Amino acid sequence: MKLLVTGNGDRSTVGTYRRCVRRTVASFVSVVAALLNVVSPAGGAEPAEMLKAGRAALEDGFYELAERSFRSCLTATTNGAPEADQAVILLAGAYHGQKKYANMLTLLAPYDSPAAAYWRAMAYFELKQYDKVPAGLADFDSRYRNDTYSPHALRLLADCHLQTGRTNEALQVFARIEKTAGEQLISGANLLDWARTLVAVGQNERALEVLDKLIARFSETDDGRHGRLLLAKILINNGNVKDAEAAIGPLVERQDIEPAHRAAALISMAGIHMLQSNFVQATNTL
């Protein structure tokens, strides 16, 4: 890939790109080195080492390498061993990354853990067999109370309801997640999707309540920033221009946020100035 350097101001971008490439290559080399030791017959790696290498590959998106590692772990362990149970779930994740959804279902068929239930439902969802998703997730939060997979399983259930047009059911699930997820980051994503769904069905006042919660608790996250943009849009549509300006003002003033978020905020702010007949200010904003 050739990058054009038009001046000194772009050299930092090139430098950042090169550092990113070096980190990616180094990560790939370390993962491959670990896996060569794991999958080599002479390597003599312990199951824990196989899991560690596989996790590294999985986190970096090297799904085929991860699959090899987890398969090696399963070969080296007996059914029911802690390492084997972990390897099964991680292998399901590696299959998911490769879109091997049928393989996921075959692998997970004998298992009945919270993680297996979640990944099995995910496979059905990806295969668009939406009728099979709720059966495994409908009472997930009561069957597996306080399990780490619980909010993720309910999020998947809400997505399934939205895909099949069951909006009211999805809204009910969003509310359930809010009660159980607490201050986890997934709660921010849930609040944002909840608000978007409420807007889609014309419940703008309820959406404003949800967005207030989102911004109060997750203002420094991507979800919180998307929430501010959505809040401003609703307020503008309601004719509440001053509050809309206040909602996105923090995004306009920030230089350290994602460029896409700031660009969207600037466009919204320019639109607000246009509505106020401040045409010069609108031009200056852009």
Side-chain angles (χ1 to χ4, degrees):
M1 178 183 293
K2 181 181 291 185
L3 293 182
L4 296 178
V5 180
T6 57
N8 291 335
D10 289 333
R11 296 186 185 278
S12 61
T13 301
V14 175
T16 300
Y17 169 80
R18 288 172 175 165
R19 286 192 297 273
C20 180
V21 170
R22 284 197 294 269
R23 284 196 298 270
T24 302
V25 171
S27 175
F28 178 76
V29 170
S30 65
V31 168
V32 171
L35 285 169
L36 285 175
N37 181 58
V38 165
V39 302
S40 171
E46 294 293 326
E49 294 174 337
M50 300 176 188
L51 287 175
K52 181 179 180 181
R55 280 196 181 97
L58 191 61
E59 290 172 1
D60 288 339
F62 303 126
Y63 301 118
E64 292 185 20
L65 294 175
E67 177 186 340
R68 291 174 62 189
S69 181
F70 299 137
R71 283 185 172 280
S72 296
C73 182
L74 288 172
T75 301
T77 55
T78 57
N79 288 338
E83 293 86 357
D85 290 342
Q86 292 179 53
V88 166
I89 300 305
L90 291 167
L91 179 56
Y95 281 152
H96 182 263
Q98 299 173 79
K99 301 183 179 181
K100 296 180 177 180
Y101 307 129
N103 293 45
M104 292 172 65
L105 293 173
T106 301
L107 172 71
L108 296 169
Y111 296 90
D112 192 31
S113 66
Y118 169 77
W119 282 111
R120 186 161 43 243
M122 177 64 79
Y124 284 128
F125 181 87
E126 299 288 10
L127 290 167
K128 302 188 187 309
Q129 297 181 24
Y130 300 125
D131 58 314
K132 296 181 180 179
V133 175
L137 301 181
D139 59 345
F140 197 101
D141 49 341
S142 59
R143 278 192 299 154
Y144 305 117
R145 190 176 301 277
N146 298 325
D147 189 87
T148 54
Y149 275 92
S150 183
H152 300 279
L154 291 179
R155 290 269 295 159
L156 180 58
L157 180 59
D159 285 345
C160 182
H161 286 325
L162 291 176
Q163 287 291 333
T164 54
R166 297 196 294 268
T167 306
N168 288 335
E169 288 85 345
L171 291 172
Q172 293 170 9
V173 175
F174 289 138
R176 285 166 59 188
I177 298 170
E178 169 61 10
K179 291 179 180 178
T180 59
E183 296 305 308
Q184 299 178 56
L185 282 179
I186 195 173
S187 183
N190 177 66
L191 288 167
L192 180 60
D193 286 345
W194 190 3
R196 285 171 169 165
T197 305
L198 287 166
V199 170
V201 296
Q203 297 185 33
N204 286 358
E205 293 304 315
R206 182 70 179 110
L208 290 174
E209 295 174 7
V210 173
L211 288 170
D212 284 342
K213 291 181 181 180
L214 171 61
I215 294 167
R217 290 159 52 192
F218 300 99
S219 62
E220 293 302 311
T221 67
D222 283 350
D223 294 321
R225 290 165 190 143
H226 281 298
R228 283 189 178 277
L229 293 169
L230 180 56
L231 175 61
K233 182 178 179 180
I234 296 172
L235 292 171
I236 290 171
N237 289 338
N238 289 349
N240 195 343
V241 178
K242 282 293 184 182
D243 284 348
E245 186 174 359
I248 59 172
L251 299 183
V252 172
E253 296 164 4
R254 294 279 295 271
Q255 300 286 336
D256 59 339
I257 63 174
E258 286 290 327
H261 292 155
R262 188 160 187 268
L266 289 169
I267 292 171
S268 294
M269 187 65 81
I272 289 171
H273 292 321
M274 292 286 287
L275 290 173
Q276 297 170 324
S277 299
N278 294 332
F279 303 115
V280 173
Q281 195 167 358
T283 303
N284 292 338
T285 299
L286 296 174

